[in-house]
Amino acid sequence: GEVLEGNELRNSGFKLHFATNVEREDVCDMTLDKETAAEFELAVDRQYWYELVMDDLPMWGMVGEVLRDDAHGRMEKHIFT
């Protein structure tokens, strides 16, 4: 039923360890080019969000948000990584 609802489930490839201490590690080393950066900017403008499911428990998060930069008197887009 996920496809009919417009959802596309993918395996994140994240290694999750419960009740085990693990060292910090990078999970993505993507470098954004102009085209990819523009796609993320559009996702922030449109308030896109994602859902991560672990052990059948869903978590939601925003791709990013627009925040006010009071030091420069402008709005800035931030991508959450």
Side-chain angles (χ1 to χ4, degrees):
E2 289 88 8
V3 174
L4 295 175
E5 294 176 351
N7 298 322
E8 183 177 345
L9 300 180
R10 294 184 181 199
N11 185 331
S12 68
F14 293 150
K15 297 175 284 184
L16 301 173
H17 308 277
F18 293 95
T20 303
N21 292 331
V22 296
E23 295 294 321
R24 179 180 168 170
E25 65 180 276
D26 292 335
V27 294
C28 177
D29 60 0
M30 176 186 236
T31 301
L32 301 181
D33 58 20
K34 285 186 178 185
E35 183 178 330
T36 308
E39 290 174 1
F40 272 108
E41 186 174 358
L42 184 62
V44 172
D45 287 340
R46 293 183 176 175
Q47 298 181 337
Y48 282 14
W49 55 276
Y50 62 89
E51 179 179 22
L52 179 64
V53 179
M54 291 190 305
D55 285 341
D56 291 326
L57 298 172
M59 295 180 287
W60 295 272
M62 300 298 294
V63 171
E65 72 180 328
V66 181
L67 301 172
R68 179 161 184 77
D69 179 0
D70 289 327
H72 297 99
R74 63 180 179 222
M75 302 301 283
E76 290 191 346
K77 295 174 184 160
H78 297 265
I79 298 172
F80 300 140
T81 59

